[in-house]
PDB file of all heavy atoms in Angstrom:
ATOM      1  N   PRO A  27     -27.271   7.740  18.484  1.00  0.00           N
ATOM      2  CA  PRO A  27     -28.556   7.320  18.010  1.00  0.00           C
ATOM      3  C   PRO A  27     -29.052   8.124  16.895  1.00  0.00           C
ATOM      4  O   PRO A  27     -28.901   9.273  16.904  1.00  0.00           O
ATOM      5  CB  PRO A  27     -29.346   7.294  19.305  1.00  0.00           C
ATOM      6  CG  PRO A  27     -28.754   8.208  20.189  1.00  0.00           C
ATOM      7  CD  PRO A  27     -27.235   8.123  19.932  1.00  0.00           C
ATOM      8  N   GLY A  28     -29.946   7.569  16.130  1.00  0.00           N
ATOM      9  CA  GLY A  28     -30.584   8.290  15.054  1.00  0.00           C
ATOM     10  C   GLY A  28     -31.876   8.855  15.510  1.00  0.00           C
ATOM     11  O   GLY A  28     -32.292   8.705  16.700  1.00  0.00           O
ATOM     12  N   THR A  29     -32.525   9.572  14.642  1.00  0.00           N
ATOM     13  CA  THR A  29     -33.915  10.125  14.801  1.00  0.00           C
ATOM     14  C   THR A  29     -34.864   9.496  13.693  1.00  0.00           C
ATOM     15  O   THR A  29     -34.464   8.814  12.975  1.00  0.00           O
ATOM     16  CB  THR A  29     -33.780  11.620  14.751  1.00  0.00           C
ATOM     17  OG1 THR A  29     -33.566  12.015  13.464  1.00  0.00           O
ATOM     18  CG2 THR A  29     -32.864  12.107  15.752  1.00  0.00           C
ATOM     19  N   THR A  30     -35.992   9.988  13.657  1.00  0.00           N
ATOM     20  CA  THR A  30     -36.872   9.460  12.673  1.00  0.00           C
ATOM     21  C   THR A  30     -36.479   9.997  11.300  1.00  0.00           C
ATOM     22  O   THR A  30     -36.968   9.322  10.247  1.00  0.00           O
ATOM     23  CB  THR A  30     -38.384  10.114  12.997  1.00  0.00           C
ATOM     24  OG1 THR A  30     -38.376  11.496  13.224  1.00  0.00           O
ATOM     25  CG2 THR A  30     -38.911   9.465  14.223  1.00  0.00           C
ATOM     26  N   SER A  31     -35.732  11.043  11.253  1.00  0.00           N
ATOM     27  CA  SER A  31     -35.295  11.448   9.915  1.00  0.00           C
ATOM     28  C   SER A  31     -33.876  11.338   9.631  1.00  0.00           C
ATOM     29  O   SER A  31     -33.460  11.683   8.520  1.00  0.00           O
ATOM     30  CB  SER A  31     -35.686  13.140   9.804  1.00  0.00           C
ATOM     31  OG  SER A  31     -34.984  13.709  10.735  1.00  0.00           O
ATOM     32  N   ARG A  32     -33.166  10.831  10.574  1.00  0.00           N
ATOM     33  CA  ARG A  32     -31.619  10.706  10.393  1.00  0.00           C
ATOM     34  C   ARG A  32     -31.299   9.386  10.990  1.00  0.00           C
ATOM     35  O   ARG A  32     -31.584   8.972  12.231  1.00  0.00           O
ATOM     36  CB  ARG A  32     -30.908  11.936  11.045  1.00  0.00           C
ATOM     37  CG  ARG A  32     -29.471  11.687  11.089  1.00  0.00           C
ATOM     38  CD  ARG A  32     -28.833  12.982  11.884  1.00  0.00           C
ATOM     39  NE  ARG A  32     -29.192  13.061  13.099  1.00  0.00           N
ATOM     40  CZ  ARG A  32     -28.814  12.337  14.152  1.00  0.00           C
ATOM     41  NH1 ARG A  32     -27.842  11.468  13.928  1.00  0.00           N
ATOM     42  NH2 ARG A  32     -29.236  12.521  15.367  1.00  0.00           N
ATOM     43  N   PRO A  33     -30.410   8.657  10.107  1.00  0.00           N
ATOM     44  CA  PRO A  33     -29.950   7.279  10.759  1.00  0.00           C
ATOM     45  C   PRO A  33     -28.804   7.579  11.907  1.00  0.00           C
ATOM     46  O   PRO A  33     -28.377   8.717  11.965  1.00  0.00           O
ATOM     47  CB  PRO A  33     -29.318   6.676   9.613  1.00  0.00           C
ATOM     48  CG  PRO A  33     -28.899   7.691   8.612  1.00  0.00           C
ATOM     49  CD  PRO A  33     -29.947   8.816   8.908  1.00  0.00           C
ATOM     50  N   ALA A  34     -28.483   6.503  12.444  1.00  0.00           N
ATOM     51  CA  ALA A  34     -27.394   6.584  13.556  1.00  0.00           C
ATOM     52  C   ALA A  34     -26.109   7.037  12.983  1.00  0.00           C
ATOM     53  O   ALA A  34     -25.827   6.683  11.691  1.00  0.00           O
ATOM     54  CB  ALA A  34     -27.236   5.232  14.287  1.00  0.00           C
ATOM     55  N   THR A  35     -25.379   7.825  13.634  1.00  0.00           N
ATOM     56  CA  THR A  35     -24.241   8.444  13.213  1.00  0.00           C
ATOM     57  C   THR A  35     -23.023   7.808  13.746  1.00  0.00           C
ATOM     58  O   THR A  35     -22.993   7.627  14.989  1.00  0.00           O
ATOM     59  CB  THR A  35     -24.145   9.946  13.507  1.00  0.00           C
ATOM     60  OG1 THR A  35     -25.255  10.596  12.993  1.00  0.00           O
ATOM     61  CG2 THR A  35     -22.882  10.613  12.968  1.00  0.00           C
ATOM     62  N   ARG A  36     -22.006   7.299  12.872  1.00  0.00           N
ATOM     63  CA  ARG A  36     -20.791   6.736  13.420  1.00  0.00           C
ATOM     64  C   ARG A  36     -19.761   7.882  13.993  1.00  0.00           C
ATOM     65  O   ARG A  36     -19.588   8.743  13.170  1.00  0.00           O
ATOM     66  CB  ARG A  36     -20.198   5.804  12.432  1.00  0.00           C
ATOM     67  CG  ARG A  36     -18.948   5.130  12.804  1.00  0.00           C
ATOM     68  CD  ARG A  36     -18.656   3.864  12.006  1.00  0.00           C
ATOM     69  NE  ARG A  36     -18.951   3.942  10.568  1.00  0.00           N
ATOM     70  CZ  ARG A  36     -18.225   4.520   9.679  1.00  0.00           C
ATOM     71  NH1 ARG A  36     -17.092   5.153   9.967  1.00  0.00           N
ATOM     72  NH2 ARG A  36     -18.616   4.541   8.340  1.00  0.00           N
ATOM     73  N   LEU A  37     -19.464   7.715  15.220  1.00  0.00           N
ATOM     74  CA  LEU A  37     -18.681   8.797  15.801  1.00  0.00           C
ATOM     75  C   LEU A  37     -17.186   8.478  15.690  1.00  0.00           C
ATOM     76  O   LEU A  37     -16.322   9.324  15.820  1.00  0.00           O
ATOM     77  CB  LEU A  37     -18.960   8.895  17.304  1.00  0.00           C
ATOM     78  CG  LEU A  37     -20.465   9.287  17.551  1.00  0.00           C
ATOM     79  CD1 LEU A  37     -20.622   9.258  19.058  1.00  0.00           C
ATOM     80  CD2 LEU A  37     -20.785  10.610  17.013  1.00  0.00           C
ATOM     81  N   THR A  38     -16.775   7.191  15.393  1.00  0.00           N
ATOM     82  CA  THR A  38     -15.453   6.696  15.306  1.00  0.00           C
ATOM     83  C   THR A  38     -15.167   6.044  14.072  1.00  0.00           C
ATOM     84  O   THR A  38     -16.096   5.391  13.460  1.00  0.00           O
ATOM     85  CB  THR A  38     -14.829   5.893  16.533  1.00  0.00           C
ATOM     86  OG1 THR A  38     -15.723   4.732  16.598  1.00  0.00           O
ATOM     87  CG2 THR A  38     -14.978   6.837  17.830  1.00  0.00           C
ATOM     88  N   GLU A  39     -14.054   5.957  13.520  1.00  0.00           N
ATOM     89  CA  GLU A  39     -13.696   5.133  12.430  1.00  0.00           C
ATOM     90  C   GLU A  39     -13.692   3.591  12.913  1.00  0.00           C
ATOM     91  O   GLU A  39     -13.324   3.326  14.041  1.00  0.00           O
ATOM     92  CB  GLU A  39     -12.218   5.348  11.864  1.00  0.00           C
ATOM     93  CG  GLU A  39     -12.196   6.644  11.142  1.00  0.00           C
ATOM     94  CD  GLU A  39     -13.094   6.794   9.928  1.00  0.00           C
ATOM     95  OE1 GLU A  39     -13.172   5.760   9.110  1.00  0.00           O
ATOM     96  OE2 GLU A  39     -13.856   7.801   9.778  1.00  0.00           O
ATOM     97  N   PRO A  40     -14.001   2.728  12.031  1.00  0.00           N
ATOM     98  CA  PRO A  40     -14.042   1.228  12.332  1.00  0.00           C
ATOM     99  C   PRO A  40     -12.728   0.831  12.801  1.00  0.00           C
ATOM    100  O   PRO A  40     -11.712   1.347  12.156  1.00  0.00           O
ATOM    101  CB  PRO A  40     -14.469   0.552  11.147  1.00  0.00           C
ATOM    102  CG  PRO A  40     -15.358   1.566  10.343  1.00  0.00           C
ATOM    103  CD  PRO A  40     -14.669   2.869  10.693  1.00  0.00           C
ATOM    104  N   ALA A  41     -12.470   0.044  13.970  1.00  0.00           N
ATOM    105  CA  ALA A  41     -11.247  -0.430  14.381  1.00  0.00           C
ATOM    106  C   ALA A  41     -11.264  -1.756  14.621  1.00  0.00           C
ATOM    107  O   ALA A  41     -12.332  -2.437  14.796  1.00  0.00           O
ATOM    108  CB  ALA A  41     -10.957   0.457  15.622  1.00  0.00           C
ATOM    109  N   VAL A  42     -10.128  -2.428  14.785  1.00  0.00           N
ATOM    110  CA  VAL A  42     -10.035  -3.761  15.228  1.00  0.00           C
ATOM    111  C   VAL A  42      -8.917  -3.817  16.480  1.00  0.00           C
ATOM    112  O   VAL A  42      -7.859  -3.361  16.365  1.00  0.00           O
ATOM    113  CB  VAL A  42      -9.420  -4.751  14.077  1.00  0.00           C
ATOM    114  CG1 VAL A  42      -7.931  -4.290  13.541  1.00  0.00           C
ATOM    115  CG2 VAL A  42      -9.350  -6.189  14.507  1.00  0.00           C
ATOM    116  N   ASP A  43      -9.492  -4.500  17.533  1.00  0.00           N
ATOM    117  CA  ASP A  43      -8.838  -4.431  18.820  1.00  0.00           C
ATOM    118  C   ASP A  43      -9.092  -5.727  19.552  1.00  0.00           C
ATOM    119  O   ASP A  43     -10.140  -6.357  19.387  1.00  0.00           O
ATOM    120  CB  ASP A  43      -9.150  -3.171  19.622  1.00  0.00           C
ATOM    121  CG  ASP A  43      -8.688  -1.950  19.028  1.00  0.00           C
ATOM    122  OD1 ASP A  43      -7.453  -1.688  19.052  1.00  0.00           O
ATOM    123  OD2 ASP A  43      -9.445  -1.041  18.599  1.00  0.00           O
ATOM    124  N   ARG A  44      -8.105  -6.044  20.506  1.00  0.00           N
ATOM    125  CA  ARG A  44      -8.448  -7.076  21.468  1.00  0.00           C
ATOM    126  C   ARG A  44      -9.405  -6.462  22.520  1.00  0.00           C
ATOM    127  O   ARG A  44      -9.245  -5.375  22.886  1.00  0.00           O
ATOM    128  CB  ARG A  44      -7.256  -7.500  22.141  1.00  0.00           C
ATOM    129  CG  ARG A  44      -6.376  -8.336  21.240  1.00  0.00           C
ATOM    130  CD  ARG A  44      -5.113  -8.906  22.112  1.00  0.00           C
ATOM    131  NE  ARG A  44      -4.453  -9.851  21.228  1.00  0.00           N
ATOM    132  CZ  ARG A  44      -4.559 -11.154  21.162  1.00  0.00           C
ATOM    133  NH1 ARG A  44      -5.591 -11.710  21.945  1.00  0.00           N
ATOM    134  NH2 ARG A  44      -3.851 -11.982  20.353  1.00  0.00           N
ATOM    135  N   PRO A  45     -10.550  -7.104  22.908  1.00  0.00           N
ATOM    136  CA  PRO A  45     -11.463  -6.587  23.857  1.00  0.00           C
ATOM    137  C   PRO A  45     -10.833  -5.941  25.038  1.00  0.00           C
ATOM    138  O   PRO A  45     -11.298  -4.888  25.568  1.00  0.00           O
ATOM    139  CB  PRO A  45     -12.393  -7.719  24.031  1.00  0.00           C
ATOM    140  CG  PRO A  45     -12.332  -8.642  22.827  1.00  0.00           C
ATOM    141  CD  PRO A  45     -10.855  -8.535  22.385  1.00  0.00           C
ATOM    142  N   ALA A  46      -9.838  -6.612  25.615  1.00  0.00           N
ATOM    143  CA  ALA A  46      -9.242  -6.186  26.827  1.00  0.00           C
ATOM    144  C   ALA A  46      -8.673  -4.786  26.719  1.00  0.00           C
ATOM    145  O   ALA A  46      -8.615  -4.021  27.536  1.00  0.00           O
ATOM    146  CB  ALA A  46      -8.223  -7.182  27.298  1.00  0.00           C
ATOM    147  N   ASP A  47      -8.186  -4.561  25.412  1.00  0.00           N
ATOM    148  CA  ASP A  47      -7.574  -3.177  25.193  1.00  0.00           C
ATOM    149  C   ASP A  47      -8.439  -2.036  25.176  1.00  0.00           C
ATOM    150  O   ASP A  47      -8.085  -0.831  25.189  1.00  0.00           O
ATOM    151  CB  ASP A  47      -6.765  -3.255  23.864  1.00  0.00           C
ATOM    152  CG  ASP A  47      -5.605  -4.188  23.968  1.00  0.00           C
ATOM    153  OD1 ASP A  47      -5.141  -4.588  25.074  1.00  0.00           O
ATOM    154  OD2 ASP A  47      -5.087  -4.680  22.929  1.00  0.00           O
ATOM    155  N   ILE A  48      -9.881  -2.302  24.935  1.00  0.00           N
ATOM    156  CA  ILE A  48     -10.821  -1.198  24.909  1.00  0.00           C
ATOM    157  C   ILE A  48     -11.823  -1.327  26.000  1.00  0.00           C
ATOM    158  O   ILE A  48     -12.862  -0.625  25.890  1.00  0.00           O
ATOM    159  CB  ILE A  48     -11.564  -1.266  23.490  1.00  0.00           C
ATOM    160  CG1 ILE A  48     -12.109  -2.559  23.226  1.00  0.00           C
ATOM    161  CG2 ILE A  48     -10.492  -1.007  22.384  1.00  0.00           C
ATOM    162  CD1 ILE A  48     -13.142  -2.744  22.008  1.00  0.00           C
ATOM    163  N   ALA A  49     -11.399  -2.035  26.894  1.00  0.00           N
ATOM    164  CA  ALA A  49     -12.498  -2.352  28.190  1.00  0.00           C
ATOM    165  C   ALA A  49     -12.871  -1.025  28.722  1.00  0.00           C
ATOM    166  O   ALA A  49     -14.222  -0.902  29.078  1.00  0.00           O
ATOM    167  CB  ALA A  49     -11.805  -3.337  29.097  1.00  0.00           C
ATOM    168  N   ASP A  50     -12.033  -0.089  28.957  1.00  0.00           N
ATOM    169  CA  ASP A  50     -12.496   1.083  29.644  1.00  0.00           C
ATOM    170  C   ASP A  50     -13.438   1.914  28.903  1.00  0.00           C
ATOM    171  O   ASP A  50     -14.237   2.633  29.290  1.00  0.00           O
ATOM    172  CB  ASP A  50     -11.203   1.923  29.945  1.00  0.00           C
ATOM    173  CG  ASP A  50     -10.428   1.295  31.154  1.00  0.00           C
ATOM    174  OD1 ASP A  50     -10.904   0.337  31.870  1.00  0.00           O
ATOM    175  OD2 ASP A  50      -9.260   1.627  31.260  1.00  0.00           O
ATOM    176  N   GLU A  51     -13.310   1.871  27.482  1.00  0.00           N
ATOM    177  CA  GLU A  51     -14.071   2.657  26.540  1.00  0.00           C
ATOM    178  C   GLU A  51     -15.422   2.115  26.337  1.00  0.00           C
ATOM    179  O   GLU A  51     -16.502   2.773  26.075  1.00  0.00           O
ATOM    180  CB  GLU A  51     -13.378   2.692  25.245  1.00  0.00           C
ATOM    181  CG  GLU A  51     -12.038   3.390  25.148  1.00  0.00           C
ATOM    182  CD  GLU A  51     -11.382   3.450  23.831  1.00  0.00           C
ATOM    183  OE1 GLU A  51     -12.117   4.085  22.946  1.00  0.00           O
ATOM    184  OE2 GLU A  51     -10.300   2.788  23.602  1.00  0.00           O
ATOM    185  N   VAL A  52     -15.609   0.738  26.481  1.00  0.00           N
ATOM    186  CA  VAL A  52     -17.012   0.129  26.177  1.00  0.00           C
ATOM    187  C   VAL A  52     -17.686  -0.371  27.339  1.00  0.00           C
ATOM    188  O   VAL A  52     -18.847  -0.819  27.284  1.00  0.00           O
ATOM    189  CB  VAL A  52     -16.749  -1.036  25.123  1.00  0.00           C
ATOM    190  CG1 VAL A  52     -16.114  -0.576  23.850  1.00  0.00           C
ATOM    191  CG2 VAL A  52     -16.032  -2.131  25.765  1.00  0.00           C
ATOM    192  N   ALA A  53     -17.060  -0.623  28.578  1.00  0.00           N
ATOM    193  CA  ALA A  53     -17.742  -1.017  29.744  1.00  0.00           C
ATOM    194  C   ALA A  53     -19.022  -0.287  30.025  1.00  0.00           C
ATOM    195  O   ALA A  53     -18.910   0.908  30.119  1.00  0.00           O
ATOM    196  CB  ALA A  53     -16.754  -1.075  30.834  1.00  0.00           C
ATOM    197  N   GLY A  54     -20.190  -0.894  30.160  1.00  0.00           N
ATOM    198  CA  GLY A  54     -21.357  -0.282  30.501  1.00  0.00           C
ATOM    199  C   GLY A  54     -22.014   0.380  29.400  1.00  0.00           C
ATOM    200  O   GLY A  54     -23.257   0.850  29.471  1.00  0.00           O
ATOM    201  N   VAL A  55     -21.404   0.669  28.239  1.00  0.00           N
ATOM    202  CA  VAL A  55     -22.068   1.310  27.050  1.00  0.00           C
ATOM    203  C   VAL A  55     -23.000   0.275  26.423  1.00  0.00           C
ATOM    204  O   VAL A  55     -22.517  -0.961  26.176  1.00  0.00           O
ATOM    205  CB  VAL A  55     -20.937   1.707  26.121  1.00  0.00           C
ATOM    206  CG1 VAL A  55     -21.623   2.439  24.898  1.00  0.00           C
ATOM    207  CG2 VAL A  55     -20.014   2.682  26.906  1.00  0.00           C
ATOM    208  N   PRO A  56     -24.231   0.662  26.049  1.00  0.00           N
ATOM    209  CA  PRO A  56     -25.066  -0.309  25.237  1.00  0.00           C
ATOM    210  C   PRO A  56     -24.282  -0.794  23.994  1.00  0.00           C
ATOM    211  O   PRO A  56     -23.650   0.027  23.308  1.00  0.00           O
ATOM    212  CB  PRO A  56     -26.336   0.521  24.816  1.00  0.00           C
ATOM    213  CG  PRO A  56     -26.244   1.520  26.018  1.00  0.00           C
ATOM    214  CD  PRO A  56     -24.878   1.998  26.280  1.00  0.00           C
ATOM    215  N   ALA A  57     -24.362  -1.865  23.688  1.00  0.00           N
ATOM    216  CA  ALA A  57     -23.599  -2.709  22.604  1.00  0.00           C
ATOM    217  C   ALA A  57     -24.355  -3.731  21.957  1.00  0.00           C
ATOM    218  O   ALA A  57     -25.195  -4.466  22.588  1.00  0.00           O
ATOM    219  CB  ALA A  57     -22.325  -3.171  23.228  1.00  0.00           C
ATOM    220  N   VAL A  58     -24.185  -3.913  20.557  1.00  0.00           N
ATOM    221  CA  VAL A  58     -24.886  -4.939  19.840  1.00  0.00           C
ATOM    222  C   VAL A  58     -23.872  -5.550  18.975  1.00  0.00           C
ATOM    223  O   VAL A  58     -22.815  -5.028  18.765  1.00  0.00           O
ATOM    224  CB  VAL A  58     -26.036  -4.429  18.977  1.00  0.00           C
ATOM    225  CG1 VAL A  58     -27.154  -3.885  19.826  1.00  0.00           C
ATOM    226  CG2 VAL A  58     -25.541  -3.339  17.962  1.00  0.00           C
ATOM    227  N   GLY A  59     -24.156  -6.729  18.470  1.00  0.00           N
ATOM    228  CA  GLY A  59     -23.192  -7.457  17.573  1.00  0.00           C
ATOM    229  C   GLY A  59     -22.741  -8.702  18.223  1.00  0.00           C
ATOM    230  O   GLY A  59     -22.623  -8.819  19.327  1.00  0.00           O
ATOM    231  N   ALA A  60     -22.254  -9.641  17.331  1.00  0.00           N
ATOM    232  CA  ALA A  60     -21.668 -10.859  17.780  1.00  0.00           C
ATOM    233  C   ALA A  60     -20.478 -10.746  18.620  1.00  0.00           C
ATOM    234  O   ALA A  60     -20.102 -11.422  19.518  1.00  0.00           O
ATOM    235  CB  ALA A  60     -21.479 -11.795  16.559  1.00  0.00           C
ATOM    236  N   GLY A  61     -19.654  -9.699  18.301  1.00  0.00           N
ATOM    237  CA  GLY A  61     -18.397  -9.361  19.076  1.00  0.00           C
ATOM    238  C   GLY A  61     -18.821  -9.014  20.620  1.00  0.00           C
ATOM    239  O   GLY A  61     -18.114  -9.553  21.426  1.00  0.00           O
ATOM    240  N   ALA A  62     -19.852  -8.217  20.680  1.00  0.00           N
ATOM    241  CA  ALA A  62     -20.303  -7.804  22.017  1.00  0.00           C
ATOM    242  C   ALA A  62     -20.695  -9.063  22.774  1.00  0.00           C
ATOM    243  O   ALA A  62     -20.488  -9.102  24.029  1.00  0.00           O
ATOM    244  CB  ALA A  62     -21.222  -6.636  21.938  1.00  0.00           C
ATOM    245  N   LEU A  63     -21.568  -9.854  22.048  1.00  0.00           N
ATOM    246  CA  LEU A  63     -22.021 -10.996  22.828  1.00  0.00           C
ATOM    247  C   LEU A  63     -21.067 -12.044  23.155  1.00  0.00           C
ATOM    248  O   LEU A  63     -21.074 -12.568  24.194  1.00  0.00           O
ATOM    249  CB  LEU A  63     -23.038 -11.732  21.861  1.00  0.00           C
ATOM    250  CG  LEU A  63     -24.390 -10.953  21.687  1.00  0.00           C
ATOM    251  CD1 LEU A  63     -25.029 -11.519  20.434  1.00  0.00           C
ATOM    252  CD2 LEU A  63     -25.217 -11.210  22.887  1.00  0.00           C
ATOM    253  N   LEU A  64     -20.022 -12.138  22.430  1.00  0.00           N
ATOM    254  CA  LEU A  64     -18.823 -13.094  22.653  1.00  0.00           C
ATOM    255  C   LEU A  64     -17.978 -12.710  23.735  1.00  0.00           C
ATOM    256  O   LEU A  64     -17.554 -13.557  24.652  1.00  0.00           O
ATOM    257  CB  LEU A  64     -18.082 -13.276  21.343  1.00  0.00           C
ATOM    258  CG  LEU A  64     -16.793 -14.303  21.288  1.00  0.00           C
ATOM    259  CD1 LEU A  64     -17.324 -15.656  21.513  1.00  0.00           C
ATOM    260  CD2 LEU A  64     -16.122 -14.215  20.008  1.00  0.00           C
ATOM    261  N   TYR A  65     -17.771 -11.287  23.962  1.00  0.00           N
ATOM    262  CA  TYR A  65     -16.992 -10.787  25.035  1.00  0.00           C
ATOM    263  C   TYR A  65     -17.793  -9.963  25.933  1.00  0.00           C
ATOM    264  O   TYR A  65     -17.505  -8.854  26.195  1.00  0.00           O
ATOM    265  CB  TYR A  65     -15.749 -10.003  24.378  1.00  0.00           C
ATOM    266  CG  TYR A  65     -14.923 -10.993  23.485  1.00  0.00           C
ATOM    267  CD1 TYR A  65     -15.039 -10.724  22.111  1.00  0.00           C
ATOM    268  CD2 TYR A  65     -14.005 -11.796  24.037  1.00  0.00           C
ATOM    269  CE1 TYR A  65     -14.241 -11.644  21.178  1.00  0.00           C
ATOM    270  CE2 TYR A  65     -13.160 -12.518  23.231  1.00  0.00           C
ATOM    271  CZ  TYR A  65     -13.307 -12.378  21.779  1.00  0.00           C
ATOM    272  OH  TYR A  65     -12.574 -13.036  20.904  1.00  0.00           O
ATOM    273  N   ASP A  66     -18.793 -10.592  26.433  1.00  0.00           N
ATOM    274  CA  ASP A  66     -19.763  -9.805  27.323  1.00  0.00           C
ATOM    275  C   ASP A  66     -19.180  -9.585  28.692  1.00  0.00           C
ATOM    276  O   ASP A  66     -19.756  -8.730  29.524  1.00  0.00           O
ATOM    277  CB  ASP A  66     -21.089 -10.614  27.459  1.00  0.00           C
ATOM    278  CG  ASP A  66     -21.008 -11.949  28.118  1.00  0.00           C
ATOM    279  OD1 ASP A  66     -19.745 -12.398  28.465  1.00  0.00           O
ATOM    280  OD2 ASP A  66     -21.998 -12.718  28.358  1.00  0.00           O
ATOM    281  N   THR A  67     -18.047 -10.007  29.047  1.00  0.00           N
ATOM    282  CA  THR A  67     -17.286  -9.554  30.299  1.00  0.00           C
ATOM    283  C   THR A  67     -16.699  -8.234  30.158  1.00  0.00           C
ATOM    284  O   THR A  67     -16.416  -7.482  31.055  1.00  0.00           O
ATOM    285  CB  THR A  67     -16.356 -10.602  30.761  1.00  0.00           C
ATOM    286  OG1 THR A  67     -15.374 -10.863  29.822  1.00  0.00           O
ATOM    287  CG2 THR A  67     -16.960 -11.941  31.119  1.00  0.00           C
ATOM    288  N   VAL A  68     -16.378  -7.955  28.838  1.00  0.00           N
ATOM    289  CA  VAL A  68     -15.848  -6.536  28.558  1.00  0.00           C
ATOM    290  C   VAL A  68     -16.906  -5.666  28.045  1.00  0.00           C
ATOM    291  O   VAL A  68     -17.010  -4.510  28.557  1.00  0.00           O
ATOM    292  CB  VAL A  68     -14.872  -6.709  27.414  1.00  0.00           C
ATOM    293  CG1 VAL A  68     -14.341  -5.339  26.915  1.00  0.00           C
ATOM    294  CG2 VAL A  68     -13.672  -7.544  27.814  1.00  0.00           C
ATOM    295  N   PHE A  69     -17.793  -6.038  27.182  1.00  0.00           N
ATOM    296  CA  PHE A  69     -19.030  -5.279  26.730  1.00  0.00           C
ATOM    297  C   PHE A  69     -20.184  -5.531  27.648  1.00  0.00           C
ATOM    298  O   PHE A  69     -21.130  -6.191  27.342  1.00  0.00           O
ATOM    299  CB  PHE A  69     -19.456  -5.699  25.332  1.00  0.00           C
ATOM    300  CG  PHE A  69     -18.355  -5.358  24.339  1.00  0.00           C
ATOM    301  CD1 PHE A  69     -17.319  -6.209  23.916  1.00  0.00           C
ATOM    302  CD2 PHE A  69     -18.331  -4.165  23.569  1.00  0.00           C
ATOM    303  CE1 PHE A  69     -16.449  -6.025  22.878  1.00  0.00           C
ATOM    304  CE2 PHE A  69     -17.415  -3.764  22.505  1.00  0.00           C
ATOM    305  CZ  PHE A  69     -16.531  -4.801  22.437  1.00  0.00           C
ATOM    306  N   THR A  70     -20.068  -4.964  28.873  1.00  0.00           N
ATOM    307  CA  THR A  70     -21.010  -5.314  29.957  1.00  0.00           C
ATOM    308  C   THR A  70     -22.336  -4.651  29.644  1.00  0.00           C
ATOM    309  O   THR A  70     -23.368  -5.088  30.413  1.00  0.00           O
ATOM    310  CB  THR A  70     -20.492  -4.785  31.307  1.00  0.00           C
ATOM    311  OG1 THR A  70     -20.145  -3.347  31.163  1.00  0.00           O
ATOM    312  CG2 THR A  70     -19.230  -5.620  31.612  1.00  0.00           C
ATOM    313  N   GLY A  71     -22.502  -3.847  28.710  1.00  0.00           N
ATOM    314  CA  GLY A  71     -23.800  -3.283  28.321  1.00  0.00           C
ATOM    315  C   GLY A  71     -24.449  -3.926  27.321  1.00  0.00           C
ATOM    316  O   GLY A  71     -25.340  -3.400  26.637  1.00  0.00           O
ATOM    317  N   VAL A  72     -24.064  -5.009  26.746  1.00  0.00           N
ATOM    318  CA  VAL A  72     -24.467  -5.773  25.559  1.00  0.00           C
ATOM    319  C   VAL A  72     -25.976  -6.032  25.693  1.00  0.00           C
ATOM    320  O   VAL A  72     -26.512  -6.319  26.690  1.00  0.00           O
ATOM    321  CB  VAL A  72     -23.727  -7.150  25.374  1.00  0.00           C
ATOM    322  CG1 VAL A  72     -23.968  -8.092  26.503  1.00  0.00           C
ATOM    323  CG2 VAL A  72     -24.150  -7.720  24.091  1.00  0.00           C
TER     324      VAL A  72
END
């Protein structure tokens, strides 16, 4: 997350994956975007 003086920092390079392949990495993590909404059984923190 960002601060009042600094925007959010990307920690990883953008990637393209099947949701099931990254389920362990994203489960329960706050998530935004149409992809997270579409696969909310994987992005459980959407």
Side-chain angles (χ1 to χ4, degrees):
T29 65
T30 54
S31 60
R32 176 181 58 80
T35 302
R36 181 158 33 85
L37 301 176
T38 60
E39 290 298 317
V42 58
D43 288 291
R44 288 184 174 272
D47 294 340
I48 58 173
D50 291 342
E51 298 180 64
V52 303
V55 179
V58 298
L63 288 165
L64 185 60
Y65 299 102
D66 59 359
T67 57
V68 172
F69 294 88
T70 55
V72 62

